[in-house]
Amino acid sequence: MKIISFDLLCRAQCSKNSGGGSVLFPDWAYKPAWSPGSRQVQLWHFLLELLGRGEGGAIGWGGEWGEFVIRDPERLARLWGERKGKPHMNYDKLSRALRYYYNKRILHKTKGKRFTYKFNFSKLILVNYPGYLPPSSHQALYSNNTVRLVKHFY
DNA sequence: TACGGAATGG
DNA sequence: CCATTCCGTA
């Protein structure tokens, strides 16, 4: 394992913390810059949005980097349902969507910890940028860097 | 609670 | 493609 540091754009909304440790995540992790506002919000975008603004009750960051705990599964499902216009959304269905993320390597389950999942931030780069993205390209895409983010890669 | 197949839809 | 819905299984 090596440690790489990136200079990345990160707005105020995504620099909030929840509870103990401060957790930063970059905009590229949930906002593909090349598709402005057209396509529908994805579940993991939504989760990062709630986590980023420290929504509090329904979902919060866990102990490890990228780990999060769903504190109120049915409330989270209700919020997600409201966003998508699906009034009958529940945790059973939301969690099925989360499980589809396992194969895509966007998420994985933290086994043994109830309602606890973990973002594969190192893999989200590949999701947002099909093909390889060298670290220097970050600087090209996000010129006005404000945050230094130290991330662990395998 | 958690998993993943199958059918379906936008 | 990305869920949504439903459900059998562990």
Side-chain angles (χ1 to χ4, degrees):
Chain A
M1 182 169 92
K2 56 180 175 176
I3 298 175
I4 307 170
S5 74
F6 285 113
D7 290 307
L8 294 167
L9 174 85
C10 188
R11 297 188 196 138
Q13 65 192 17
C14 69
S15 64
K16 289 196 174 176
N17 58 3
S18 69
S22 83
V23 179
L24 302 176
F25 59 85
D27 276 349
W28 52 255
Y30 68 105
K31 270 182 192 165
W34 56 93
S35 61
S38 51
R39 92 135 83 82
Q40 249 218 175
V41 63
Q42 265 156 273
L43 178 54
W44 60 280
H45 298 163
F46 178 74
L47 296 180
L48 287 175
E49 181 188 316
L50 295 187
L51 289 164
R53 66 163 192 254
E55 192 272 343
I59 189 170
W61 290 114
E64 293 176 45
W65 165 263
E67 192 176 86
F68 62 94
V69 181
I70 300 170
R71 300 202 192 95
D72 189 338
E74 292 308 325
R75 187 149 93 90
L76 179 67
R78 205 198 67 232
L79 292 170
W80 175 234
E82 281 168 11
R83 175 66 65 91
K84 289 290 291 291
K86 296 283 176 182
H88 304 302
M89 181 52 58
N90 58 26
Y91 181 66
D92 177 57
K93 290 184 271 193
L94 186 151
S95 62
R96 182 68 188 92
L98 293 181
R99 290 193 294 274
Y100 272 127
Y101 286 151
Y102 300 168
N103 299 332
K104 298 177 187 173
R105 316 238 49 204
I106 291 173
L107 288 183
H108 62 80
K109 186 78 181 67
T110 301
K111 286 167 188 174
K113 291 185 188 173
R114 208 159 152 260
F115 304 129
T116 303
Y117 301 78
K118 189 173 168 180
F119 277 102
N120 283 318
F121 281 128
S122 58
K123 298 298 196 303
L124 291 181
I125 298 171
L126 300 176
V127 170
N128 276 345
Y129 299 91
Y132 178 64
L133 181 72
S136 55
S137 302
H138 281 103
Q139 313 224 325
L141 283 162
Y142 301 106
S143 48
N144 51 341
N145 302 317
T146 56
V147 169
R148 170 161 290 247
L149 177 72
V150 179
K151 244 182 74 47
H152 299 252
F153 282 81
Y154 302 118

